[in-house]
Amino acid sequence: MRRTSYKLALPAVAAAGMLVFPGALPASASAATSSSVISAAALTLTGGSCEGLARRFLCSVAFTGAVAPVSVRWFVDGSHVPAYDNRTFVGIGCQPTFRYDIRAVISDGTGASVEFRSSPVCRSGNP
């Protein structure tokens, strides 16, 4: 039988110990760790699009760093559409040749919010 040895760096061992025994951290180190995690995880919009099909838009948003609870609110031409709330992907019906203002506002538990906005023109034709 062959033996394999592994070398672990001291920071890796210390980090593993902090995960297993979080109470072992001094209060000041614990506070510094939690505040750096919060600041590093800021709500950020990572993507968004509204793809035009015949008489319909398929819209999506993507985000990272949100702290629960998270809400997604959709607006079409300035009017809130509650049926689309808390969804990252929606299908929005439209009238051909008209331009629409579509907006999604993502908010998290810290009070941070980001916005996606698009102004596509509705296409006519068959899907």
Side-chain angles (χ1 to χ4, degrees):
M1 182 193 293
R2 184 176 172 187
R3 287 189 174 173
T4 306
S5 65
Y6 299 97
K7 291 183 181 179
L8 292 175
L10 186 57
V13 173
M18 287 187 285
L19 291 174
V20 176
F21 302 106
L25 280 175
S28 61
S30 175
T33 302
S34 63
S35 66
S36 64
V37 169
I38 290 171
S39 65
L43 177 60
T44 305
L45 185 68
T46 58
S49 69
C50 280
E51 202 61 40
L53 299 177
R55 297 180 173 88
R56 178 165 294 287
F57 298 116
L58 298 179
C59 298
S60 66
V61 292
F63 53 91
T64 61
V67 176
V70 178
S71 70
V72 181
R73 295 182 54 171
W74 289 89
F75 299 84
V76 178
D77 287 337
S79 296
H80 177 224
V81 184
Y84 300 153
D85 281 358
N86 299 317
R87 298 175 190 218
T88 57
F89 182 83
V90 296
I92 301 170
C94 62
Q95 216 35 46
T97 73
F98 285 88
R99 179 174 300 278
Y100 288 79
D101 177 39
I102 298 172
R103 190 168 56 108
V105 177
I106 300 105
S107 303
D108 74 0
T110 67
S113 66
V114 292
E115 182 177 295
F116 164 75
R117 185 175 286 239
S118 182
S119 297
V121 174
C122 188
R123 293 179 20 195
S124 60
N126 295 325

